[in-house]
Amino acid sequence: MNERTVKVGLVSLGCAKNLVDSELMLGQLARGRFEVTPRPEQAELIIVNTCGFLSAARKESVEAILEMAQWKR
């Protein structure tokens, strides 16, 4: 069976732990049926890895999610 490759992008916000988690996710995605792209306009799926611990982080997270949603309209 020939499975279709899905292009996926990832935005990582927050602390160094989030960056490590994002790198782990990208590694898992790359081993699956996903092609990782740094260009949101090419991505069929965009993951925003963030935290909402601080008020400023929540605001940045919402802005990033809304920005990425623009690529999917």
Side-chain angles (χ1 to χ4, degrees):
M1 181 186 291
N2 188 4
E3 291 188 28
R4 184 175 82 79
T5 300
V6 176
K7 287 189 178 185
V8 63
L10 188 138
V11 176
S12 184
L13 303 171
C15 65
K17 176 159 180 11
N18 272 24
L19 182 57
V20 169
D21 290 344
S22 292
E23 289 173 353
L24 291 170
M25 280 191 277
L26 287 173
Q28 290 293 320
L29 290 166
R31 283 189 281 283
R33 62 180 189 97
F34 298 94
E35 176 185 342
V36 178
T37 179
R39 302 181 64 156
E41 68 272 16
Q42 293 179 350
E44 298 170 71
L45 170 71
I46 300 174
I47 299 168
V48 179
N49 182 28
T50 186
C51 78
F53 184 69
L54 302 174
S55 178
R58 285 191 298 272
K59 182 178 185 296
E60 181 183 19
S61 298
V62 169
E63 290 171 356
I65 292 166
L66 293 174
E67 180 183 350
M68 293 302 112
Q70 291 298 316
W71 291 106
K72 301 295 102 200
R73 288 189 183 237

